[in-house]
Amino acid sequence: MPKIFHRQQIEEALRHIDVTAAIEDGFVAYSAGRVVVPPVGELIFEDPPGDVHIKYGYIKNDDYFVIKVASGFSDNVNLGLPAADGLMLVFSQRTARLECILLDECHLTNVRTAAAGAVVARYLAPSKVERIGVFGAGVQGRMQVEALLPIVDCRDLVVWGTGRDELDAYREAMSAHGLDIRTTLNGDEVAATCNLIVTATPSHTPLLHADQIREGTHITAMGSDTRGKCELDPAILGKADRVVADSIEQCRERGEIFHAVEAGALRIEDVVELGNVISNPALRRTSDSQITVADLTGVAVQDIQISKAVYARLASG
Amino acid sequence: MPKIFHRQQIEEALRHIDVTAAIEDGFVAYSAGRVVVPPVGELIFEDPPGDVHIKYGYIKNDDYFVIKVASGFSDNVNLGLPAADGLMLVFSQRTARLECILLDECHLTNVRTAAAGAVVARYLAPSKVERIGVFGAGVQGRMQVEALLPIVDCRDLVVWGTGRDELDAYREAMSAHGLDIRTTLNGDEVAATCNLIVTATPSHTPLLHADQIREGTHITAMGSDTRGKCELDPAILGKADRVVADSIEQCRERGEIFHAVEAGALRIEDVVELGNVISNPALRRTSDSQITVADLTGVAVQDIQISKAVYARLASG
């Protein structure tokens, strides 16, 4: 019988795990060609609207393979249910026995997604972060910042949102972290005062334009995970000194890089992969005046790494 | 929290379900274009050798969507473990909440696979079955016959296997069904005496050749589910009066039809789909002298139908 763990147990286990380190190792293995990641499985629904993604794979010669299901059904909020849900399944790579079911309700997907933002900041943020800027006051808008706190000294934050209510809720939810939080409805203010920017929205139109981006800025775009979504003007990727993909293979098909290549603003050959940026310092920024952009679409190796770490902790406890 | 059911509960529920009817309805919906079935997800392992298939999808405007995982790791038998394993996940189509986990250990996959053979026999077997012939003395070699018993009057059976031990075990396991069972290591005997033949092996080379097949024979080939596997001489499909696929889309890519089209023995345009054979009598055999072949690769709609039926029974119990 598989072991079954619920969200509360998983959250407790996460307190004892260096998720960012596990995700970093995963990206290195991925870019070194040591991870098998088949194309993302996808179900799209129209009434009510929603999408389900199945991400799965394994690190070669590892103990486990992992299948992850994550869904987003935005109308759920009208029913008093969270929009996101999901689970992770951990199988033995030796026998295919199902060892563990993590009923994480999408929490592990959120945590590993935020951890990827932290990994990116560790290797691509300018040496002195003046102010952190965040587009999006939702779950990732919060969790990306929480994941940055151990990586970046700066405690000055400006958050852009689409309404006063969500911005007030953001400030309230983040009040325990000792941050100086400014909220705004004006994206210009973010670009003008921040040199580490995270976009975490489901936008289908660009939130930032190339002429707004100052020298020395790093942008992590993590909201766009389908072909339709787009947070950055393609010209930003054209202007950047370094464009980094979590997975070049996936970014050919979706996300900001896909849009910039389609628009002719970027050549896919000029994109480098995050795992290689981690293992090769020559692929990082070479001065604090350079502009860098990282595009995160979410790779199954993140799910593999976080579920393995959580299972190891829970199995030992 | 999802409801979680184990194999014993699932087997008990199956006693109260007309699985063949549920699978039949599923094929009709599938061929009518009312089912969303994305491409099969696949993980292949080499050391130890094994494969994992993820089949998933939904009937439009239905209550649920389903994700099924099934694995086959042949070396497991050396460890005292079954080669096959798996589970089915039932989600609400309205909210994407995970409603039910069926820890069926691949049993539901076996049952729905056998039920597809029964559906095929209902619509394609000759009016008088003289003898049932089975290639393969494994789990499907047994379950296909058990699923045929309510459909076909004939109780005379010949089973081909690769060794005396497995054939003796087959006879022992099937002793309760009141069948007249003959076992053989000679495939000629099956072709010469049977007019309803089921192939249920993992063979990579043909077990039957065109000149062996007599007038009026129906063959259900269900063992070949990858590109490498092949149970029938392509010329058999060329010689057949009617070739039926469970899914034309899947049979373009794998199974007997794939091989026969590759070999130039068959045109894909001449293949009809099982759901259409069920709903349109003109697509069945039109005389008892015709040769018919059905190629079953396994379609997610079978997983959807059986898991919904089991969940409905267990939720009401």
Side-chain angles (χ1 to χ4, degrees):
Chain A
M1 281 304 107
K3 296 181 184 70
I4 298 169
F5 298 104
H6 296 91
R7 177 164 176 162
Q8 201 180 338
Q9 296 167 288
I10 293 165
E11 289 191 15
E12 171 57 28
L14 283 169
R15 279 190 253 284
H16 305 277
I17 296 169
D18 185 346
V19 174
T20 303
I23 298 302
E24 189 169 315
D25 292 346
F27 281 122
V28 171
Y30 179 76
S31 293
R34 293 190 283 113
V35 188
V36 174
V37 175
V40 176
E42 189 171 62
L43 287 171
I44 304 289
F45 297 88
E46 283 168 16
D47 183 26
D51 53 65
V52 179
H53 287 109
I54 308 171
K55 295 188 177 180
Y56 57 105
Y58 61 93
I59 299 175
K60 294 173 191 171
N61 304 310
D62 198 4
D63 290 334
Y64 304 108
F65 69 88
V66 172
I67 300 174
K68 187 275 288 281
V69 181
S71 59
F73 271 52
S74 54
D75 286 5
N76 278 1
V77 295
N78 304 329
L79 305 170
L81 293 171
D85 199 0
L87 76 160
M88 298 197 182
L89 304 169
V90 181
F91 298 84
S92 161
Q93 200 174 124
R94 175 145 291 273
T95 64
R97 292 296 103 173
L98 174 60
E99 298 225 351
C100 167
I101 301 175
L102 297 172
L103 295 170
D104 68 300
E105 300 171 10
C106 205
H107 184 63
L108 290 175
T109 296
N110 288 333
V111 171
R112 64 75 154 160
T113 301
V119 171
V120 164
R122 179 177 281 161
Y123 295 100
L124 291 167
S127 59
K128 180 164 172 42
V129 176
E130 295 155 15
R131 197 186 224 181
I132 301 166
V134 176
F135 282 83
V139 172
Q140 277 297 314
R142 295 201 296 272
M143 292 179 72
Q144 289 281 339
V145 172
E146 289 167 343
L148 285 175
L149 294 179
I151 307 290
V152 172
D153 289 333
C154 175
R155 292 294 178 266
D156 196 3
L157 181 71
V158 58
V159 182
W160 172 92
T162 54
R164 274 287 147 218
D165 287 353
E166 65 168 19
L167 289 170
D168 290 346
Y170 185 99
R171 184 193 295 279
E172 170 78 20
M174 296 292 280
S175 60
H177 295 302
L179 291 159
D180 182 359
I181 302 178
R182 197 180 148 69
T183 60
T184 184
L185 299 169
N186 175 8
D188 283 342
E189 188 179 343
V190 179
T193 64
C194 300
N195 62 347
L196 174 56
I197 298 174
V198 179
T199 62
T201 74
S203 184
H204 284 67
T205 54
L207 304 165
L208 281 169
H209 295 275
D211 56 11
Q212 295 174 297
I213 307 304
R214 297 177 305 143
E215 274 194 359
T217 300
H218 170 77
I219 303 172
T220 298
M222 59 66 52
S224 165
D225 61 351
T226 66
R227 280 180 171 253
K229 294 182 194 165
C230 176
E231 300 183 280
L232 304 181
D233 176 4
I236 295 176
L237 285 83
K239 179 181 179 177
D241 297 281
R242 182 66 79 198
V243 176
V244 178
D246 56 359
S247 157
I248 289 175
E249 192 178 329
Q250 284 185 196
C251 289
R252 282 177 194 273
E253 304 290 334
R254 55 185 80 209
E256 307 304 330
I257 289 171
F258 161 72
H259 284 286
V261 170
E262 283 275 295
L266 179 70
R267 299 188 320 160
I268 193 75
E269 306 84 57
D270 293 333
V271 176
V272 299
E273 207 165 68
L274 180 53
N276 293 327
V277 171
I278 296 166
S279 49
N280 182 358
L283 298 178
R284 302 172 199 161
R285 66 166 59 238
T286 53
S287 88
D288 269 343
S289 64
Q290 290 185 323
I291 294 172
T292 54
V293 175
D295 187 9
L296 302 179
T297 55
V299 186
V301 73
Q302 298 168 254
D303 303 308
I304 295 166
Q305 287 292 91
I306 198 167
S307 55
K308 275 167 44 187
V310 167
Y311 176 42
R313 174 77 200 176
L314 289 167
S316 74
Chain B
M1 280 307 106
K3 296 181 184 72
I4 298 169
F5 299 104
H6 296 91
R7 176 164 175 163
Q8 202 179 338
Q9 294 167 291
I10 293 165
E11 290 191 17
E12 171 57 28
L14 283 169
R15 280 190 251 282
H16 306 277
I17 297 168
D18 184 346
V19 175
T20 302
I23 297 302
E24 188 169 315
D25 291 347
F27 280 121
V28 170
Y30 179 77
S31 293
R34 293 190 284 112
V35 189
V36 174
V37 176
V40 176
E42 189 172 61
L43 287 171
I44 303 289
F45 297 88
E46 283 168 16
D47 183 26
D51 54 64
V52 179
H53 286 110
I54 308 171
K55 294 187 177 180
Y56 56 106
Y58 61 93
I59 299 174
K60 294 172 190 170
N61 303 312
D62 198 4
D63 290 334
Y64 303 107
F65 69 87
V66 172
I67 300 175
K68 185 277 289 281
V69 180
S71 59
F73 272 51
S74 54
D75 286 4
N76 277 2
V77 294
N78 303 330
L79 305 170
L81 293 170
D85 199 0
L87 75 161
M88 297 196 182
L89 304 169
V90 182
F91 299 82
S92 161
Q93 200 174 127
R94 175 145 291 274
T95 65
R97 291 296 104 173
L98 174 60
E99 299 224 351
C100 166
I101 300 175
L102 297 172
L103 296 170
D104 68 302
E105 302 172 8
C106 206
H107 185 62
L108 290 175
T109 296
N110 288 333
V111 172
R112 62 77 153 158
T113 300
V119 171
V120 164
R122 179 176 281 162
Y123 295 100
L124 291 168
S127 59
K128 178 162 172 47
V129 176
E130 296 154 14
R131 195 187 226 183
I132 301 167
V134 177
F135 282 83
V139 172
Q140 277 299 313
R142 295 199 297 270
M143 293 180 70
Q144 289 281 339
V145 172
E146 288 167 345
L148 285 175
L149 294 179
I151 308 291
V152 172
D153 290 332
C154 175
R155 291 295 177 266
D156 195 3
L157 180 72
V158 57
V159 183
W160 172 93
T162 54
R164 273 287 148 218
D165 286 353
E166 66 169 19
L167 289 170
D168 290 346
Y170 186 97
R171 182 194 296 279
E172 169 78 21
M174 296 292 280
S175 61
H177 295 301
L179 290 159
D180 182 358
I181 303 177
R182 195 179 148 70
T183 59
T184 183
L185 298 170
N186 176 7
D188 282 342
E189 186 178 346
V190 179
T193 63
C194 301
N195 62 348
L196 174 57
I197 298 174
V198 180
T199 62
T201 75
S203 184
H204 284 68
T205 53
L207 303 167
L208 281 170
H209 295 274
D211 56 10
Q212 296 175 297
I213 308 303
R214 298 178 303 146
E215 273 195 0
T217 299
H218 169 77
I219 303 171
T220 297
M222 58 67 51
S224 165
D225 60 351
T226 66
R227 281 181 170 250
K229 293 182 196 166
C230 177
E231 300 182 281
L232 303 181
D233 176 4
I236 296 176
L237 286 83
K239 177 180 179 176
D241 297 282
R242 181 67 78 198
V243 176
V244 178
D246 55 0
S247 157
I248 289 175
E249 192 178 328
Q250 285 186 195
C251 289
R252 281 178 195 273
E253 305 290 334
R254 54 183 80 210
E256 308 304 330
I257 289 171
F258 161 71
H259 284 286
V261 171
E262 283 275 293
L266 179 71
R267 298 188 321 159
I268 193 74
E269 306 83 59
D270 293 334
V271 175
V272 300
E273 207 165 68
L274 181 54
N276 293 325
V277 170
I278 297 166
S279 50
N280 181 358
L283 298 178
R284 302 173 200 162
R285 67 168 58 240
T286 52
S287 88
D288 269 341
S289 64
Q290 289 185 323
I291 293 172
T292 54
V293 175
D295 187 10
L296 302 179
T297 55
V299 186
V301 73
Q302 297 168 255
D303 303 309
I304 295 166
Q305 287 292 91
I306 198 167
S307 55
K308 277 167 45 189
V310 167
Y311 176 41
R313 173 75 200 178
L314 288 168
S316 73

